[in-house]
């Protein structure tokens, strides 16, 4: 006979409370099955548990386990970083073709007292004259990508001849030093080391970043430069040679940053006819030059022996130089990227200033159209669209009348900031920055003129 | 002004009078602000407090000024002076609730001449779905059933 299973019966907590007339059960019933677990399958075990800190969902009355939302942070995983900083920032240019001369072995014949030098070094009184040092590293040329941009990747040469380029007394062109365009307005003095043999030297002055006239080519070996000066066939020991291309001061345009101005010295045994380099016209575009092609042409005769370069930025003298040629001095402006915006939410969870939020996502064409419409309205109703003298001439009245955001917009419009600059843009100017700069210059000039008058 | 009401307390048999203020249109307890049937016409009435404090844009967004912006300004920082003057957007639940408190007239699109809010009545660049979890249209009236292209043409809120 099967044993009768007895399952424990639970006594009610209200069993001992007597209420007249109620037929309340004191125990759970006697059944031959266990009590079903008090669990609701679709809700977790913590459902219907009273907890004061839960977030109530709207149509549930129960507490739901919500997934933990981890904010999207930018995490740096150190396990993924393998290389050292030096390795990552190393610039390595392959050196396959040496197109220059072999480096002469250095023979030092200076008498020196080793003991005395050691003493001074220990006491940290040993002084080294940097001007006597020979700077022969090619790393600086790698850093500025000089060889690649002048010739081809893989090409290099050592400085085997002393080559000095001086503007005036103090300004010297070394290896990438900064000069002002005003320093370089006149021809520099050139000093070439005489090596004793009956050879000729040729000097070329190139602006490596100056060519804005040719389209960018996809290849690495046909880069173009501007030829500012060429003196050819300088005999060994002499100072004068044939001026093939007359000197033009460097012309880095405004807004284009630093241009590398390189002076290359070539050495050749016999005189070469460089008449094909001669300029065909006066314009800057006629000075476009391709050093790689030029070198390939005269490869068998000439060898590069020295290279100096400096970096030159825009200056007012550049304007003068260009005007003298008959060119207008262009202005370049950096085109900033559009600011990164978070994805737009229809009803942002955090209270946002509504005008700034909605303006952030308005397409720029619509903004332009609105500004144009405003400008036309002003021209029609008031006859002119000029910037107000003051941000808001009716400031106290408007402050009371208008909501704050509208008052601020009105002031922005009157000043002409950001998008409202289009309202006051006059013909002939590309953008508001240019117009502001030009008007500033005009005002400064008129101010100077006034001062001159009053000073007399 | 006051109306006397007799109340019967549970414990004692003595009746006592309780004075309650008269219930007019401007004197409703705040938990009854959503009037479903007004005594005059039997129609729903919009909540006047909501109309005073919030502004509804045509695209469904409610705007409110920052609460407490004029309180104790002299002790508050420069940052507060700027940020407290913002007119802020309401959250989704708040916008839904405010819409429920309104009558259909206040949910219609309004066009005014020289409206300073004109550029803000349309949203641009929204990619959220057009239907909610029950399949109801989010930005359009449910009676108007049209395909996407026609809706884009006429409901310029979508842009």
């Amino acid at each position: 006979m099967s044993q009768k299973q007895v399952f424990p019966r639970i006594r009610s907590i209200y069993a001992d409370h007597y209420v007249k007339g109620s037929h309340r059960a004191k125990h759970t019933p006697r059944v031959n099955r266990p009590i079903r677990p008090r669990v609701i399958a679709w809700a977790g075990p913590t459902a219907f548990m009273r907890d004061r800190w839960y977030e109530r969902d709207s149509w549930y009355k129960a507490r739901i386990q919500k997934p933990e939302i981890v904010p999207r942070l930018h995490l740096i995983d150190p396990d993924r970083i393998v290389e050292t900083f030096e390795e990552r920032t190393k610039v390595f240019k392959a050196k396959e073709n040496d197109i220059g001369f072999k480096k002469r072995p250095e023979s030092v014949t200076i008498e020196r007292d080793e003991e005395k030098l050691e003493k001074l070094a220990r006491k940290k009184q040993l002084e080294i004259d940097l001007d006597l040092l020979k700077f022969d590293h090619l790393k600086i040329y790698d850093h500025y990508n000089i060889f690649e941009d002048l010739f081809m990747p893989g090409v290099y040469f050592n400085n085997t001849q002393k080559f000095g380029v001086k503007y005036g007394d103090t300004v010297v062109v070394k290896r990438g030093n900064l000069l002002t365009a005003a320093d370089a307005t006149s021809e520099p003095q050139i000093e070439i080391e005489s090596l004793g043999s009956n050879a000729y030297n040729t000097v070329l002055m190139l602006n490596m970043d100056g060519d804005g006239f040719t389209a960018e080519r996809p290849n690495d070996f046909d880069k173009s430069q501007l030829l500012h000066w060429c003196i050819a066939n300088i005999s060994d020991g002499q100072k004068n040679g044939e001026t093939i291309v007359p000197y033009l001061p460097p012309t880095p345009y405004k807004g284009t940053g630093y241009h590398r101005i390189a002076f290359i010295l070539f050495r050749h045994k016999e005189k070469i006819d460089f008449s094909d380099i001669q300029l065909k016209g006066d314009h800057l575009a006629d000075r476009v030059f391709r050093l790689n092609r030029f070198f390939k042409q005269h490869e068998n005769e000439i060898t590069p022996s020295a290279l100096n370069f400096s970096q030159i930025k825009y200056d007012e003298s550049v304007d003068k130089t260009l005007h003298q040629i008959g060119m207008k001095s262009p202005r370049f402006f950096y085109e900033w990227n559009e600011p990164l915006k978070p994805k737009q939410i229809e009803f942002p969870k955090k209270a946002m200033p509504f005008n700034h939020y909605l303006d952030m996502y308005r397409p720029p064409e619509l903004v332009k159209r609105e500004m144009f419409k405003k400008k036309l309205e002003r021209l029609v109703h008031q006859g002119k669209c000029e910037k107000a003298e003051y941000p808001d001439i009716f400031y106290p009245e408007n402050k009371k009348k208008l909501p704050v955001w509208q008052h601020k917009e009105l002031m922005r419009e009157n000043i002409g900031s950001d998008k409202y600059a289009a309202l006051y843009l006059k013909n002939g100017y590309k953008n508001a920055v240019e117009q502001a700069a030009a008007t500033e210059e005009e005002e400064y000039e008129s101010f100077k003129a006034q001062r001159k008058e009053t000073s007399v | 002004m006051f109306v006397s009401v007799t109340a019967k307390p549970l414990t004692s048999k003595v009746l006592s009078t309780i004075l309650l203020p008269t219930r007019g249109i401007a004197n409703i307890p705040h938990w009854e602000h959503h009037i479903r049937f007004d005594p005059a016409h039997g129609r729903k009435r919009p909540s006047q407090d909501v109309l005073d404090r919030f502004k509804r844009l045509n695209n469904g967004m409610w705007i409110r000024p920052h609460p407490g912006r004029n309180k104790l300004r002299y002790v508050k920082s420069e940052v507060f002076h700027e940020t407290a003057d913002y007119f802020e957007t309401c959250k989704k639940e708040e916008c839904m609730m405010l819409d429920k408190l309104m009558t259909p007239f206040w949910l219609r699109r309004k066009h005014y001449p020289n409206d300073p809010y004109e550029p803000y009545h349309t949203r641009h660049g929204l990619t959220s779905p057009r239907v909610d979890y029950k399949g109801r249209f989010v930005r359009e009236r449910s009676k108007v059933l049209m395909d996407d292209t026609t809706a884009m043409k006429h409901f310029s809120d979508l842009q």
Side-chain angles (χ1 to χ4, degrees):
Chain A
M1 212 163 80
S2 60
Q3 271 189 325
K4 236 191 187 174
Q5 267 199 300
V6 177
F7 296 99
R9 295 169 72 195
I10 299 172
R11 189 182 162 78
S12 166
I13 56 172
Y14 303 108
D16 296 321
H17 285 245
Y18 171 68
V19 175
K20 190 192 174 193
S22 81
H23 299 273
R24 188 195 282 147
K26 292 207 173 105
H27 292 95
T28 52
R30 285 183 301 172
V31 289
N32 58 348
R33 60 178 185 275
I35 305 173
R36 66 164 171 84
R38 295 278 165 91
V39 170
I40 299 160
W42 50 266
T46 51
F48 310 116
M49 251 190 207
R50 252 180 27 148
D51 187 88
R52 266 175 285 158
W53 296 282
Y54 69 78
E55 255 187 276
R56 241 179 168 207
D57 205 274
S58 58
W59 59 278
Y60 277 110
K61 297 248 170 79
R63 190 174 73 143
I64 308 162
Q65 307 285 348
K66 285 198 181 145
E68 195 192 311
I69 300 166
V70 179
R72 267 192 289 170
L73 305 166
H74 181 72
L75 297 164
I76 301 169
D77 189 6
D79 295 329
R80 288 173 138 249
I81 299 168
V82 176
E83 297 148 336
T84 59
F85 182 71
E86 274 85 33
E87 283 171 17
R88 288 177 118 214
T89 53
K90 202 170 159 185
V91 170
F92 176 67
K93 300 286 174 195
K95 298 226 161 20
E96 291 148 15
N97 299 320
D98 186 358
I99 55 170
F101 292 109
K102 232 198 303 186
K103 266 177 122 168
R104 283 173 290 168
E106 283 283 318
S107 54
V108 180
T109 52
I110 311 166
E111 272 186 40
R112 55 185 189 190
D113 187 358
E114 298 276 351
E115 273 187 39
K116 193 177 164 193
L117 288 175
E118 201 211 321
K119 265 193 195 168
L120 286 172
R122 257 189 294 124
K123 289 183 188 174
K124 296 193 178 168
Q125 286 165 3
L126 183 63
E127 282 174 11
I128 302 168
D129 191 3
L130 291 170
D131 290 328
L132 296 176
L133 281 180
K134 245 181 116 180
F135 189 92
D136 270 337
H137 292 283
L138 297 178
K139 271 189 187 172
I140 189 86
Y141 299 115
D142 287 350
H143 182 79
Y144 285 98
N145 217 20
I146 302 274
F147 293 132
E148 253 195 56
D149 286 340
L150 284 176
F151 301 97
M152 247 169 74
V155 165
Y156 74 104
F157 62 89
N158 291 303
N159 285 312
T160 47
Q161 201 172 5
K162 276 205 190 130
F163 181 37
V165 180
K166 250 193 199 178
Y167 283 102
D169 283 326
T170 45
V171 180
V172 187
V173 171
K174 292 177 194 165
R175 311 260 194 289
N177 55 332
L178 292 179
L179 301 186
T180 48
D183 288 335
T185 38
S186 48
E187 277 185 23
Q189 285 95 52
I190 295 191
E191 283 163 22
I192 304 172
E193 189 193 3
S194 152
L195 295 174
S197 50
N198 256 355
Y200 297 95
N201 300 304
T202 305
V203 175
L204 284 167
M205 175 182 168
L206 301 168
N207 182 346
M208 293 165 69
D209 304 310
D211 185 13
F213 303 102
T214 42
E216 253 186 64
R217 282 156 180 257
N219 50 41
D220 287 335
F221 49 83
D222 205 13
K223 296 210 172 134
S224 52
Q225 302 92 26
L226 286 183
L227 180 61
H228 279 278
W229 197 33
C230 177
I231 303 241
N233 302 322
I234 308 167
S235 343
D236 196 66
Q238 298 282 312
K239 285 222 171 178
N240 302 315
E242 300 162 18
T243 312
I244 310 281
V245 173
Y247 183 77
L248 181 73
T251 53
Y253 304 131
K254 182 164 189 185
T256 47
Y258 293 101
H259 290 222
R260 297 164 293 177
I261 311 291
F263 289 84
I264 308 185
L265 181 68
F266 291 105
R267 200 167 166 86
H268 41 107
K269 283 189 187 156
E270 285 159 11
K271 278 201 179 183
I272 302 175
D273 179 28
F274 290 118
S275 52
D276 47 340
I277 309 179
Q278 273 172 344
L279 297 179
K280 270 122 197 164
D282 257 343
H283 197 79
L284 202 64
D286 299 313
R287 289 186 181 251
V288 170
F289 184 71
R290 287 188 166 77
L291 185 68
N292 203 26
R293 283 195 200 176
F294 166 81
F295 183 69
K296 273 285 177 186
Q297 217 184 344
H298 303 282
E299 208 178 10
N300 295 320
E301 288 103 39
I302 64 174
T303 322
S305 58
L307 175 61
N308 292 350
F309 75 103
S310 62
Q311 294 177 75
I312 303 187
K313 212 167 79 148
Y314 168 82
D315 208 289
E316 270 130 13
S317 58
V318 171
D319 280 345
K320 281 186 200 158
T321 318
L322 288 170
H323 292 329
Q324 272 168 14
I325 308 174
M327 245 181 85
K328 282 190 184 179
S329 179
R331 296 283 183 263
F332 284 86
F333 298 94
Y334 191 77
E335 277 186 0
W336 297 100
N337 286 334
E338 271 180 38
L340 290 173
K341 301 172 212 176
K343 199 169 174 217
Q344 196 186 171
I345 312 169
E346 200 178 346
F347 296 100
K349 296 196 176 81
K350 235 180 144 185
M352 296 272 171
F354 82 100
N355 52 334
H356 294 313
Y357 191 72
L358 266 62
D359 279 340
M360 198 157 66
Y361 298 102
R362 188 165 301 118
E365 300 86 39
L366 260 164
V367 176
K368 268 192 197 163
R369 210 194 294 168
E370 277 172 28
M371 291 303 118
F372 190 57
K373 204 168 144 190
K374 260 202 176 123
K375 189 171 180 178
L376 287 176
E377 277 173 13
R378 277 223 216 165
L379 286 170
V380 165
H381 296 304
Q382 286 148 34
K384 55 176 179 172
C385 183
E386 272 168 18
K387 224 190 257 194
E389 274 178 42
Y390 303 97
D392 188 10
I393 201 144
F394 299 113
Y395 187 94
E397 291 90 353
N398 283 338
K399 194 161 151 67
K400 289 175 201 158
K401 220 177 18 169
L402 302 171
V404 179
W405 71 268
Q406 210 181 322
H407 193 200
K408 285 200 173 145
E409 281 294 310
L410 175 69
M411 285 198 279
R412 280 177 68 214
E413 188 182 330
N414 285 335
I415 292 171
S417 58
D418 305 329
K419 58 183 183 179
Y420 295 107
L423 287 173
Y424 311 111
L425 201 61
K426 298 206 173 68
N427 273 336
Y429 290 107
K430 174 102 197 324
N431 58 32
V433 174
E434 196 193 342
Q435 188 178 314
T439 45
E440 257 180 54
E441 277 177 44
E442 273 175 43
E443 278 171 23
Y444 183 58
E445 236 125 87
S446 66
F447 171 70
K448 274 205 291 189
Q450 270 180 18
R451 268 185 59 194
K452 272 192 189 160
E453 282 167 27
T454 52
S455 68
V456 168
Chain B
M1 241 307 258
F2 282 94
V3 166
S4 68
V5 170
T6 54
K8 187 180 173 186
L10 289 166
T11 46
S12 66
K13 289 189 183 172
V14 174
L15 297 171
S16 57
T17 50
I18 298 168
L19 288 175
L20 280 177
T22 351
R23 217 190 131 87
I25 197 76
N27 220 352
I28 304 157
H30 66 273
W31 59 85
E32 290 183 39
H33 271 176
H34 188 182
I35 297 172
R36 292 161 205 266
F37 308 98
D38 71 339
H41 299 278
R43 282 204 300 260
K44 193 172 160 183
R45 273 202 70 97
S47 171
Q48 193 54 48
D49 280 327
V50 168
L51 288 173
D52 292 338
R53 286 156 224 255
F54 299 85
K55 161 128 189 112
R56 187 178 194 276
L57 301 174
N58 288 347
N59 55 59
M61 174 65 81
W62 285 85
I63 290 174
R64 59 181 174 87
H66 193 88
R69 65 210 155 116
N70 291 323
K71 282 225 78 70
L72 276 92
R73 275 188 93 103
Y74 69 94
V75 294
K76 294 187 176 151
S77 60
E78 278 263 356
V79 179
F80 179 86
H81 288 154
E82 249 195 75
T83 54
D85 288 332
Y86 290 156
F87 274 62
E88 287 155 355
T89 53
C90 292
K91 289 187 265 191
K92 181 154 185 225
E93 296 78 32
E94 291 174 2
C95 289
M96 281 163 65
M97 194 169 67
L98 292 169
D99 276 347
K100 283 183 201 165
L101 289 167
M102 289 291 111
T103 42
F105 169 79
W106 294 100
L107 303 177
R108 281 182 69 98
R109 256 176 254 151
K110 305 263 183 325
H111 305 279
Y112 301 103
N114 301 325
D115 188 5
Y117 294 93
E118 202 189 306
Y120 305 111
H121 284 312
T122 51
R123 298 291 293 264
H124 300 276
L126 284 176
T127 51
S128 54
R130 268 179 74 203
V131 292
D132 62 1
Y133 67 95
K134 278 204 170 175
R136 302 174 291 207
F137 283 118
V138 172
R139 297 191 210 99
E140 298 146 350
R141 299 191 330 258
S142 45
K143 283 184 191 170
V144 181
L145 298 164
M146 15 167 96
D147 50 307
D148 277 318
T149 40
T150 331
M152 290 294 215
K153 259 206 280 179
H154 299 285
F155 288 85
S156 56
D157 279 6
L158 295 167
Q159 289 286 329

